[in-house]
Amino acid sequence: MTKPRHFISLLDFSSAELRSLLNRASELKKFRDPDYQPLKGKVLAMIFEKSSTRTRISFEAGMCHFGGSALFLSPRDTQLGRGEPLADSARVISSMVDAIMLRTHSHDTVTTFAEYSSVPVINGLTDRQHPCQLLADMQTYFEHRGDIQGKTVAWIGDGNNMCNSYVDAAYLLGFQLNIACPDGYLPDAEAVKQAGTHVNYFSSACAAAENADLVVTDVWASMGQEEEQRQRQLDFHEYQVNRTVMAAAKPDALFMHCLPAHRGEEVTAEVIDGKQSIVFAEAENRLHAQKALLEFLMCAK
Ligand code: CP
Ligand code: NVA
């Protein structure tokens, strides 16, 4: 049996494949044809250990648009929550569906699923990566400003799953990533090493944002870190994206946030609801980018 292609991190794609997928996403968005149903009769299983609005709805709607369907599975209601081994679950579920999307606490859960699954496995967010969000973010940047190669992106805040995926994107698409994170909250060292000169650290939010074409942030406490919220509010208070930080960036710089956002914490209302913010275009592109991803992984070539 040939191994299926999975999408666990952006690095599962070559630069050329990623660029072509981003083009396809914009094409699918512009020319939506209700008669184009390449996934007719196909089923996507979606396993969510954590909450979701955008990821769930975009995958479910995307499968519907393509003539297929999606199953929402929570560990609470399946044997996964009662400790059935991941390897057994992956073999069983993949024998009945055409692709599996997982949002899990541990990244290893997704890699184990991929190891034992006979169909493509898609990472819908783990503690280490959020590659689907990066497809949407990059599509959105390209649609607003053209190619991101050679541009400067400022990441302000937590070196979390989103930040790690930005590091991979910088490497694959050839942009500079300026990171400002408090001590103790840096992104994955291996990923940063691989990205080489594409990633640089800065000691303040304004220094990272200087001359940036795009400023990005995310929540200070991710899902599963709720108990650290108070400590994180103390540690991150100098890492808010506000008017002063945006003023350090280029005058036409854009602002992105994967959402959900906490106005008054990682970003002020003035910035996220202001003219430079493209967060709702970014959110909508989850649908288009993932349709391109589903087509790439699930359609016979
Ligand atoms: N950005 C994102 O992944 O949103 P959800 O948590 O709503 O899926
Ligand atoms: N870093 C956030 C992203 C949410 C889409 C989290 O993991 O909760």
Side-chain angles (χ1 to χ4, degrees):
M1 187 189 74
T2 49
K3 281 253 165 208
R5 285 285 298 258
H6 300 302
F7 184 58
I8 311 297
S9 91
L10 283 182
L11 300 178
D12 288 319
F13 284 148
S14 67
S15 300
E17 282 173 336
L18 178 57
R19 284 178 178 280
S20 132
L21 191 133
L22 296 173
N23 266 334
R24 181 64 181 149
S26 292
E27 203 173 86
L28 286 166
K29 178 179 177 177
K30 252 195 262 163
F31 310 108
R32 184 161 166 223
D33 173 5
D35 294 330
Y36 180 60
Q37 304 215 322
L39 300 182
K40 202 165 180 195
K42 302 233 172 172
V43 179
L44 172 73
M46 307 189 299
I47 298 169
F48 281 97
E49 287 180 2
K50 298 173 179 173
S51 309
S52 170
T53 297
R54 281 144 287 266
T55 304
R56 175 177 178 181
I57 295 169
S58 51
F59 271 113
E60 201 161 327
M63 284 302 294
C64 277
H65 290 180
F66 276 168
S69 55
L71 297 175
F72 174 81
L73 303 168
S74 111
R76 217 184 26 230
D77 312 312
T78 60
Q79 300 291 2
L80 275 167
R82 295 183 59 251
E84 182 166 9
L86 292 175
D88 292 357
S89 303
R91 289 170 78 162
V92 171
I93 297 170
S94 67
S95 72
M96 300 178 188
V97 303
D98 303 283
I100 305 172
M101 193 285 304
L102 295 101
R103 168 169 285 196
T104 62
H105 290 281
S106 163
H107 191 74
D108 295 345
T109 302
V110 174
T111 53
T112 305
F113 244 82
E115 195 180 332
Y116 292 96
S117 170
S118 55
V119 299
V121 166
I122 298 170
N123 178 355
L125 180 146
T126 66
D127 55 350
R128 294 236 298 273
Q129 293 278 340
H130 195 5
C132 289
Q133 183 68 50
L134 258 290
L135 297 181
D137 285 25
M138 293 300 103
Q139 180 192 347
T140 312
Y141 188 89
F142 277 64
E143 287 175 351
H144 283 78
R145 294 283 187 267
D147 203 322
I148 200 163
Q149 184 166 17
K151 305 283 184 189
T152 300
V153 178
W155 176 271
I156 314 291
D158 194 10
N160 62 11
N161 43 13
M162 276 297 297
C163 182
N164 287 330
S165 291
Y166 260 92
V167 170
D168 293 346
Y171 171 67
L172 284 173
L173 296 175
F175 60 84
Q176 287 305 125
L177 184 64
N178 292 352
I179 298 181
C181 299
D183 285 345
Y185 296 100
L186 299 184
D188 186 55
E190 278 297 303
V192 171
K193 195 169 155 203
Q194 153 120 328
T197 55
H198 289 292
V199 174
N200 284 298
Y201 288 114
F202 291 80
S203 56
S204 75
C206 281
E210 206 175 309
N211 281 321
D213 299 282
L214 169 65
V215 178
V216 195
T217 190
D218 187 13
V219 289
W220 289 342
S222 285
M223 290 181 276
Q225 297 171 334
E226 289 76 9
E227 281 171 16
E228 298 172 29
Q229 176 78 29
R230 196 173 281 266
Q231 184 60 46
R232 283 171 170 265
Q233 266 169 343
L234 297 173
D235 295 342
F236 283 90
H237 78 278
E238 285 176 9
Y239 293 81
Q240 181 188 64
V241 178
N242 51 33
R243 182 201 296 210
T244 315
V245 173
M246 289 307 290
K250 287 197 180 140
D252 68 343
L254 298 169
F255 171 77
M256 287 197 208
H257 187 309
C258 63
L259 305 180
H262 297 103
R263 287 168 176 76
E265 289 185 25
E266 74 273 8
V267 59
T268 57
E270 182 184 36
V271 169
I272 197 169
D273 299 319
K275 284 206 174 71
Q276 289 167 280
S277 171
I278 49 169
V279 295
F280 296 110
E282 178 188 2
E284 183 197 320
N285 278 340
R286 293 294 303 277
L287 171 67
H288 309 296
Q290 286 157 204
K291 282 172 74 175
L293 177 68
L294 292 167
E295 184 187 56
F296 179 89
L297 293 174
M298 295 175 76
C299 290
K301 301 231 164 49

